[in-house]
Amino acid sequence: QVQLVESGGGLVEAGGSLRLSCAASGSIRSIVVMAWYRQAPGKQRELVALSRGGGIRNYADSVKGRFTISRDDAENSVFLEMNSLKPEDTAVYYCNAVLQELTTAQLNAYWGQGTQVTVSS
């Protein structure tokens, strides 16, 4: 089994910063993609930032220049540095990993439990 555990959410004023962390544990052979998604009340879950092999990183247009995704492959971890936060960044942030487990050749996607980020105006 694989688990993703997030931390680092909270309440911050507009213009402030937060750093989210996510650690994957369990029977992991390799991680192909690690990403952050978010879901605001009444809205669909959306991709915020994604990191995959070769140092490739993708960002939603709404966070480009403000958010930075990084990984520590030795620790199966991914981080999201969020700067210049805006009230519209308020959402539950979810960690996602696409990985290969030790016991199977297929790739599976896993989600963390989510962490609340609230930005006050």
Side-chain angles (χ1 to χ4, degrees):
Q1 289 295 332
V2 174
Q3 283 188 319
L4 273 61
V5 178
E6 300 127 334
S7 61
L11 173 64
V12 64
E13 292 184 349
S17 299
L18 282 174
R19 186 174 189 257
L20 305 183
S21 301
C22 172
S25 62
S27 56
I28 299 169
R29 181 186 300 277
S30 63
I31 300 179
V32 177
V33 174
M34 295 196 86
W36 289 96
Y37 287 74
R38 68 185 180 187
Q39 187 166 19
K43 295 189 177 181
Q44 288 189 328
R45 190 172 297 189
E46 63 174 356
L47 176 65
V48 175
L50 178 150
S51 172
R52 47 195 173 107
I56 296 172
R57 299 172 184 173
N58 300 103
Y59 296 93
D61 288 342
S62 59
V63 307
K64 281 180 182 176
R66 301 188 298 121
F67 291 11
T68 302
I69 188 170
S70 60
R71 283 170 64 167
D72 182 342
D73 289 334
E75 298 293 331
N76 289 334
S77 296
V78 64
F79 310 95
L80 187 68
E81 188 75 36
M82 305 185 293
N83 298 314
S84 302
L85 282 160
K86 304 175 181 180
E88 51 264 43
D89 294 317
T90 295
V92 177
Y93 284 70
Y94 296 91
C95 175
N96 169 268
V98 177
L99 56 86
Q100 186 180 40
E101 296 182 56
L102 290 172
T103 56
T104 176
Q106 70 182 69
L107 295 175
N108 291 313
Y110 290 88
W111 294 90
Q113 80 283 0
T115 185
Q116 178 69 46
V117 171
T118 302
V119 184
S120 63
S121 56

